[in-house]
């Protein structure tokens, strides 16, 4: 028995081909920057099907092992997750009984790419603040004080260092937080010994 060689590489040509096909399906997608490319990664488990579980004591549901069909199954998976959360006591309105008033503003996250405007671009230099009064805290990833504050006070806030890293890239640069960790802890009020 011979093993097959699977090409998991990412190429510019491959990415361009995907973007061309995506333009037909979802044109608005092309307005967003590609910030990372992964190939050969599967959310596979040893099971042949999705693994959905509810943990009432922790008020938590887990959806794992979602393979390629997860994209087309995403709405059904969301409904199943919501049903499991309802059995744990989460009170939700059904889509039919939702109020017809103004809709909640969409949640916006800090752009992680460099294609759009980032607050650090307003920065004036060492010891200076940007036009908005902002200043850079994480110099490796050029993350400003305002971006950190916004991430920690957002509708879905960053509650710890890992959450902040994922939302802003702060602490994820070349120094891995060596220079900015203490200042970020002081800014957020987090205890660095935890």
């Amino acid at each position: 028995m011979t093993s097959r060689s699977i090409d998991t590489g990412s190429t510019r040509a491959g990415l361009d081909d995907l973007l061309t096909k995506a333009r037909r399906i979802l044109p608005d997608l092309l307005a967003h920057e590609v910030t990372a490319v992964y190939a050969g990664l599967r959310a596979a488990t040893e099971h042949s099907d999705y693994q959905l579980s509810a943990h009432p004591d922790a008020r938590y549901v887990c959806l794992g092992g979602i393979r390629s069909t997860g994209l087309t199954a995403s709405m059904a998976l969301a409904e199943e997750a919501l049903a499991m959360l309802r059995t744990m006591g989460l009170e939700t309105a059904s889509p039919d009984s939702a109020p017809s008033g103004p809709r909640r503003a969409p949640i916006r996250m800090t752009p992680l790419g460099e294609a759009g405007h980032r607050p650090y671009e307003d920065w004036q230099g060492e010891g200076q603040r940007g036009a908005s009064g902002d200043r850079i805290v994480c110099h490796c990833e050029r993350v400003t004080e305002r971006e950190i504050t916004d991430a920690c006070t957002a509708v879905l806030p960053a509650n710890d260092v890992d959450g902040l890293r994922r939302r802003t890239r702060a602490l994820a640069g070349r120094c891995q937080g060596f220079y900015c960790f203490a200042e970020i802890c002081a800014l957020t009020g987090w205890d660095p010994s935890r």
Side-chain angles (χ1 to χ4, degrees):
M1 180 175 196
T2 61
S3 63
R4 284 189 325 173
S5 174
I6 298 174
D7 183 5
T8 59
S10 298
T11 64
R12 180 77 243 176
L15 188 57
D16 288 341
D17 185 47
L18 287 172
L19 290 171
T20 299
K21 291 173 181 168
R23 183 177 285 115
R24 288 192 327 254
I25 300 167
L26 188 61
D28 289 348
L29 180 67
L30 298 180
H32 298 279
E33 180 181 9
V34 176
T35 58
V37 176
Y38 302 97
L41 300 177
R42 300 290 304 255
T45 66
E46 68 275 14
H47 306 283
S48 63
D49 205 355
Y50 304 162
Q51 298 300 299
L52 313 178
S53 59
H55 307 272
D57 294 343
R59 296 176 52 87
Y60 172 80
V61 297
C62 180
L63 293 88
I66 312 299
R67 298 172 186 249
S68 299
T69 54
L71 180 60
T72 53
S74 60
M75 295 305 289
L77 289 166
E79 288 176 8
E80 183 62 25
L82 192 56
M84 289 191 288
L85 288 167
R86 283 185 184 128
T87 65
M88 293 181 221
L90 178 69
E91 293 182 22
T92 61
S94 71
D96 298 331
S97 66
S100 60
R103 302 194 88 189
R104 185 181 300 186
I107 296 172
R108 300 261 184 240
M109 301 301 276
T110 301
L112 296 179
E114 294 294 329
H117 180 78
R118 294 259 322 271
Y120 78 86
E121 294 173 298
D122 298 330
W123 190 60
Q124 303 294 315
E126 191 62 41
Q128 303 292 316
R129 289 182 178 260
S132 63
D134 206 4
R135 66 185 177 87
I136 294 178
V137 176
C138 173
H139 288 270
C140 295
E141 291 295 324
R142 299 182 299 266
V143 180
T144 66
E145 182 176 344
R146 187 178 79 218
E147 287 177 286
I148 292 168
T149 303
D150 287 351
C152 293
T153 58
V155 175
L156 298 173
N159 293 321
D160 59 20
V161 171
D162 288 330
L164 184 66
R165 183 182 294 121
R166 284 190 289 275
R167 285 172 177 81
T168 66
R169 293 193 328 210
L171 306 160
R174 187 176 181 98
C175 81
Q176 293 292 288
F178 182 81
Y179 292 106
C180 61
F181 180 70
E183 187 169 358
I184 287 172
C185 286
L187 184 63
T188 59
W190 293 335
D191 181 356
S193 64
R194 289 182 18 180

